[in-house]
């Protein structure tokens, strides 16, 4: 009897596993076709030779990969670091990091504010947060440009008020880029933070104060560690699309302040170097993966040590 | 061990909200709690027990009045500056910390050296007998274990006063009994002043040095368990603690004369109408010739194991319950419909 019960239990478990696989198979199929397929194409292309007018010639070459970081002197054929490329990498990574930090600094108090409103009011505040999503990203970015350009609203007002005598150059600066990116990605930080803070038990604050914690300690020892899942999710949601941002740097940075996204696009367009574009795409993917691994490791380090 | 502080609450009013919708959660409450005392706040839901505790802890500021700790006015101090810790009704344990880290939290915030924190945490873990669970997350504990962690966390910084807000209400009956005696033992060992909130009268009677019975933002009576049980000052206290028979009567010479003519001897004197409170166990069956004997008819018998509740109708129509100890045979020698005589061995005159 015991044997019989056991085998039927096992069959049941096996049946459940099979059913689970059957249920996820459409998603897996979609992933295989939409993500892994193109990725394979990109990898293959990065090892081909660039065609004269774009496209690729089916001939193996590592030229694209060499060009990612190095450039060949046209006179003596010697290799040296491609400073322009490094600048773009560095700008992409640093701007994305700073944007992530700024959206967190602005987003956390916002999310806290919404999460501590009475339940009936929260929907309203969340609704306000999502309003920017209603308009196309392109339009919104042009709107920022209108505000900060030399003849724009900001300069006109400042000139009129006599604060400045000549228009401030704000467009095509890193500052403008940052403002634009923080503006665009702020909701992506606020929403996961809100989701984490909404479940936060406010009575824990009293427990903290009762146990002699200062306001700062209550924030760093109780609120932040408990809302860590929201912080991780928000940071990833902001950092990853920032690295590959295309529209915002294109409009607010002009052609001058390129980020990785624009640089990759350039290779497939005017640059007519598809293999280099493919190689750069893979580099972007690798940077994202490494950054995420390091980030998640560090931020959940405390846990690992404890267990 | 740690020297304990007395608390003095003077004329405290706490109002929530403003204007006509304001709620007076506490209305002119004054109480003196001695150092090292096990003091209980007892009262029905919504009477202001938690509010009084939160005022002592510093989570709320009094609308009027002052609170003194060891003779010093602490009304303006934030909770983190008061040598007072709380065991919350919901426990409010930190979910991201282990049992040991929860217990050590207060000491760490006080900036105590690492070695001292570790040493105190170990001692606390031994006290609550949860050493094997030190490295667990608190959400992996049972309700009773969480309750003990909450207690240890509040005790670890060696407060002068410990506030406990219905800490046992989430526990089942058996665990509750165990924790009651454990709490009492802890209080005696540490000598810390305990202010304990409950709406369970039995818990209050068995554990406390003194009890304050509260109702609708007022303190109705303060006294030892024996005093509030045997000498309730008013109808509310008498009915809230234990079961009571209320009988109307009038002052006569040497006692109170009930409407059915029977005379019940009580201390003191007065005139006019009064209400008498008589505990069911003070109602005795007796012979018709005994002093103060009243004829009564048995209307119902309810068996409770250790005793039997005997519901009786008096001649004037008044109803009385008597609690009769079960005999060795396990039976009370009366039946429903019997005509018997009863007398009250003690009675308390109520103020209203
Ligand atoms: N923050 C608040 N805002 C408004 N009213 C409040 C607030 N806190 C408590 N009250 C009111 O004050 C009164 C006393 O509340 P309190 O929590 O002290 O009762 P309690 O005796 O602890 O009751 P329980 O046994 O149910 O815990 C209640 O009428 C309650 O509604
Ligand atoms: Mg309460």
């Amino acid at each position: 009897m015991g044997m019989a019960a056991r085998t039927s239990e096992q069959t049941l478990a096996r049946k459940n596993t099979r059913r689970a696989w059957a249920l996820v198979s459409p998603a897996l199929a979609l992933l295989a076709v939409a993500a892994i397929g193109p990725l394979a194409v990109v990898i293959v292309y990065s090892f081909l030779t660039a065609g004269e007018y774009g496209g690729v010639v089916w001939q193996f070459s590592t030229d694209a990969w060499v060009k990612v970081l190095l450039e060949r002197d046209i006179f003596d054929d010697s290799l040296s670091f491609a400073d322009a490329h490094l600048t773009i990498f560095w700008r992409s990574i640093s701007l994305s990091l700073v944007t992530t930090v700024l959206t967190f600094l602005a987003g956390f108090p916002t999310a806290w504010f919404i999460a501590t409103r009475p339940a009936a009011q929260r929907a309203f505040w969340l609704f306000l947060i999502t309003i920017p999503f209603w308009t196309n990203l392109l339009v919104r970015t042009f709107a920022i440009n209108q505000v900060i350009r030399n003849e724009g609203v900001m300069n006109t007002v400042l000139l009129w008020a006599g604060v400045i005598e000549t228009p401030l150059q704000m467009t095509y600066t890193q500052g403008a880029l940052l403002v634009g990116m923080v503006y665009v990605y702020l909701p992506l930080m606020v929403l996961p933070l809100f989701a984490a803070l909404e479940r936060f038990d406010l009575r824990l604050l009293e427990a903290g104060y009762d146990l002699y914690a200062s306001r700062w300690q209550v924030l760093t020892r109780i609120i932040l560690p408990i809302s860590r899942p929201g912080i991780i999710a928000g940071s990833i949601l902001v950092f990853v699309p920032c690295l590959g941002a295309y529209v915002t740097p294109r409009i607010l940075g002009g052609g001058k302040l390129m980020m990785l996204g624009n640089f990759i696009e350039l290779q497939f367009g005017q640059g007519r170097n598809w293999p280099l574009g493919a190689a750069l795409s893979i580099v972007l993917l690798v940077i994202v993966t490494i950054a995420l691994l390091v980030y998640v490791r560090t931020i959940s380090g405390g846990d690992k040590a404890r267990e | 061990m740690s020297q304990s502080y007395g608390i003095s609450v003077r004329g405290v009013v706490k109002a929530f909200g403003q204007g006509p919708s304001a709620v007076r959660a506490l209305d002119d409450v004054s109480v003196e709690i001695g150092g090292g005392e096990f003091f209980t706040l007892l009262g029905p839901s919504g009477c202001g027990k938690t509010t009084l505790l939160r005022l002592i802890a510093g989570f709320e500021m009094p609308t009027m009045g002052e609170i003194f700790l060891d003779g010093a006015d602490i009304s303006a101090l934030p909770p983190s500056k008061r040598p007072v810790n709380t065991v919350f009704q919901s426990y409010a344990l930190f979910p991201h910390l282990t049992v040991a880290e929860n217990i050590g939290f207060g000491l760490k915030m006080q900036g105590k050296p690492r070695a001292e924190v570790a040493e105190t945490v170990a001692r606390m873990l031994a006290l609550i007998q949860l050493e094997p669970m030190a490295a667990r997350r608190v959400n992996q504990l049972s309700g009773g274990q969480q309750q003990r962690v909450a207690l240890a966390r509040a005790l670890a910084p060696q407060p002068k006063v410990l506030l406990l807000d219905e800490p046992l209400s989430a526990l089942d009956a058996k665990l509750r009994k165990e924790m009651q005696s454990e709490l009492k033992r802890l209080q005696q060992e540490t000598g810390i002043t305990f202010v304990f909130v409950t709406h369970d009268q039995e818990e209050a009677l068995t554990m406390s040095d003194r009890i304050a019975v509260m109702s609708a933002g007022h303190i109705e009576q303060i006294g030892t368990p024996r005093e509030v049980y045997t000498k309730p000052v008013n109808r509310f206290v008498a009915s809230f603690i234990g079961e009571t028979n209320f009988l109307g009567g009038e002052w006569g010479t040497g006692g109170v004369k009930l409407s059915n003519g029977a005379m019940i001897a009580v201390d003191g004197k007065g005139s006019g109408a009064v209400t008498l409170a008589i505990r069911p166990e003070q109602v005795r069956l007796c012979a018709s010739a005994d002093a103060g004997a009243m004829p009564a008819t048995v209307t119902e018998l309810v068996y409770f194991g250790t005793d039997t509740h005997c519901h009786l109708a008096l001649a004037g129509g008044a109803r009385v319950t008597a609690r009769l100890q079960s005999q060795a045979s396990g039976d009370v020698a009366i039946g429903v419909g019997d005509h018997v005589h009863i007398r009250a061995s003690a009675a308390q005159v109520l103020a209203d």
Side-chain angles (χ1 to χ4, degrees):
Chain A
M1 197 225 128
M3 263 317 260
R6 199 192 179 115
T7 33
S8 78
E9 212 169 84
Q10 280 173 346
T11 348
L12 200 66
R14 233 177 288 138
K15 223 180 192 167
N16 279 340
T17 318
R18 237 180 291 139
R19 179 178 304 168
W21 277 108
L23 284 173
V24 295
S25 57
L28 287 179
L30 189 67
L31 267 180
V33 174
I36 299 177
L39 188 63
V41 173
V42 170
I43 293 176
V44 170
Y45 270 38
S46 73
F47 287 104
L48 294 178
T49 308
E52 192 108 2
Y53 304 103
V56 287
V57 177
W58 281 86
Q59 190 175 27
F60 178 80
S61 159
T62 53
D63 259 13
W65 284 100
V66 173
K67 270 200 181 149
V68 167
L69 284 181
L70 305 173
E71 60 191 355
R72 205 176 287 276
D73 196 293
I74 33 173
F75 297 113
D76 61 6
D77 228 23
S78 64
L79 287 173
S80 59
F81 274 110
D83 289 342
H85 297 195
L86 289 181
T87 309
I88 292 172
F89 283 130
W90 171 241
R91 180 185 298 134
S92 295
I93 294 172
S94 59
L95 276 181
S96 302
L97 279 176
V98 174
T99 304
T100 309
V101 171
L102 289 181
T103 50
F104 174 73
L105 291 180
F108 195 86
T110 313
W112 180 262
F113 172 83
I114 301 175
T116 50
R117 288 314 93 189
Q121 286 176 27
R122 285 180 210 156
F124 168 73
W125 290 105
L126 282 178
F127 164 79
L128 289 187
I129 293 286
T130 57
I131 282 184
F133 288 133
W134 295 10
T135 329
N136 182 283
L137 173 61
L138 207 58
V139 176
R140 281 185 284 149
T141 315
F142 270 118
I144 295 184
N145 212 17
Q146 285 304 310
V147 173
I148 63 172
R149 78 201 165 98
N150 286 8
E151 307 79 34
V153 181
M154 199 113 105
N155 271 319
T156 313
V157 170
L158 289 178
L159 281 171
W160 175 79
V163 181
I164 50 172
E165 274 159 21
T166 49
L168 283 177
Q169 174 64 40
M170 286 182 283
T171 42
Y172 314 138
T173 59
Q174 296 229 3
L177 244 178
L178 260 183
V179 168
M181 303 231 287
V182 169
Y183 164 71
V184 169
Y185 293 112
L186 187 57
L188 294 181
M189 179 62 90
V190 170
L191 294 177
L193 282 179
F194 166 77
L197 290 175
E198 192 190 19
R199 277 170 290 152
F200 185 83
D201 181 358
L202 290 175
R203 291 174 295 196
L204 295 181
L205 302 184
E206 286 187 348
Y209 291 126
D210 191 59
L211 293 163
Y212 314 106
S214 63
R215 286 168 146 262
W216 176 250
Q217 285 170 323
V218 165
L219 177 69
T220 55
R221 303 296 183 107
I222 301 174
I223 302 176
L224 291 182
I226 291 178
S227 45
R228 198 169 58 194
I231 299 175
I232 294 179
S235 307
I236 290 174
L237 282 180
V238 171
F239 182 75
V240 172
C242 259
L243 261 186
Y246 170 72
V247 172
T248 315
R250 179 68 196 272
I251 295 169
L252 295 178
K256 291 191 285 180
L257 292 173
M258 241 189 266
M259 284 178 63
L260 261 172
N262 312 98
F263 193 44
I264 292 171
E265 191 263 352
L266 187 68
Q267 306 313 321
F268 287 99
Q270 294 165 327
R272 287 187 197 150
N273 194 343
W274 288 26
L276 179 56
L280 287 170
S281 305
I282 296 166
V283 169
L284 176 59
L285 193 71
V286 170
I287 293 178
V288 168
T289 313
I290 292 175
L292 289 188
L293 282 180
V294 170
Y295 178 65
V296 173
R297 272 278 163 85
T298 337
I299 203 156
S300 54
D303 262 354
K304 288 273 151 50
R306 198 175 290 135
E307 275 149 20
Chain B
M1 264 173 82
S2 72
Q3 170 217 344
S4 53
Y5 286 3
I7 305 162
S8 166
V9 176
R10 298 182 193 166
V12 162
V13 173
K14 178 66 193 176
F16 291 107
Q18 250 136 40
S21 63
V23 180
R24 281 207 162 195
L26 291 177
D27 199 355
D28 194 18
V29 165
S30 296
V31 55
E32 298 284 331
I33 300 171
E37 195 172 18
F38 196 119
F39 193 88
T40 297
L41 302 173
L42 174 67
S45 190
C47 70
K49 307 180 295 287
T50 297
T51 305
L52 182 51
L53 225 54
R54 290 172 60 79
L55 283 165
I56 298 173
F59 300 132
E60 309 275 3
M61 293 290 143
T63 311
M64 265 191 273
E66 291 119 30
I67 296 171
F68 289 76
L69 187 68
D70 193 36
D73 189 349
I74 55 163
S75 305
L77 285 186
S80 55
K81 296 266 157 52
R82 302 185 183 197
V84 172
N85 285 153
T86 308
V87 179
F88 294 88
Q89 184 163 3
S90 57
Y91 308 152
L93 296 175
F94 301 123
H96 61 299
L97 300 180
T98 64
V99 168
E101 287 166 335
N102 262 280
I103 297 175
F105 190 88
L107 293 165
K108 216 166 149 189
M109 294 303 109
Q110 285 179 317
K112 292 274 157 50
R114 220 171 249 258
E116 190 187 326
V117 176
E119 193 261 326
T120 311
V121 168
R123 199 155 38 79
M124 285 296 145
L125 280 168
L127 187 75
I128 59 170
Q129 294 165 4
L130 282 184
E131 288 117 318
M133 315 267 177
R136 282 215 204 164
R137 287 296 178 90
V138 288
N139 51 19
Q140 297 166 331
L141 301 182
S142 73
Q145 291 167 338
Q146 290 185 14
Q147 200 271 329
R148 281 186 269 171
V149 175
L151 186 65
R153 185 181 69 172
L155 278 173
Q158 296 186 324
K160 304 298 185 191
V161 173
L162 192 67
L163 308 174
L164 305 103
D165 194 354
E166 306 198 31
L168 307 180
S169 59
L171 308 183
D172 64 57
K174 185 167 173 291
L175 194 55
R176 196 174 172 138
K177 280 271 177 329
E178 278 174 31
M179 287 307 300
Q180 283 175 0
S181 48
E182 207 160 311
L183 268 184
K184 186 72 188 159
R185 179 177 60 82
L186 263 174
Q187 194 265 334
Q188 280 161 348
E189 274 174 18
T190 57
I192 295 174
T193 311
F194 273 35
V195 183
F196 183 86
V197 164
T198 181
H199 55 235
D200 179 336
Q201 42 122 346
E202 190 184 313
E203 196 165 274
L205 290 175
T206 54
M207 299 178 74
S208 323
D209 292 326
R210 282 194 308 152
I211 299 172
V213 184
M214 297 180 66
S215 150
H218 296 276
I219 292 185
E220 302 287 343
Q221 184 174 4
I222 299 176
T224 63
R226 190 173 294 276
E227 277 165 7
V228 292
Y229 187 78
T230 59
K231 295 190 166 52
V233 295
N234 58 28
R235 200 177 178 106
F236 175 82
V237 176
S239 61
F240 193 76
I241 301 188
E243 284 168 70
T244 306
N245 298 298
F246 294 105
L247 292 174
E250 252 175 61
W251 278 107
T253 40
V256 171
K257 191 174 176 158
L258 297 184
S259 47
N260 63 7
M263 193 73 180
I264 293 180
V266 293
D267 293 337
K269 276 193 177 91
S271 59
V274 290
T275 303
L276 283 184
I278 303 171
R279 297 288 182 190
E281 65 274 15
Q282 290 162 344
V283 179
R284 304 275 160 82
L285 293 176
C286 65
S288 58
D290 284 4
M294 300 178 271
T297 312
V298 179
T299 57
E300 196 186 349
L301 288 167
V302 183
Y303 181 62
F304 271 84
T306 53
D307 47 30
T308 299
H309 288 195
C310 177
H311 297 263
L312 302 146
L314 294 183
R319 303 202 165 260
V320 169
T321 304
R323 187 179 298 163
L324 307 174
Q325 287 254 311
S326 295
Q327 309 291 302
S329 68
D331 242 323
V332 182
I334 53 174
V336 174
D338 285 0
H339 295 285
V340 294
H341 280 81
I342 57 167
R343 66 180 183 86
S345 62
Q348 182 67 24
V349 181
L350 299 181
D352 53 66

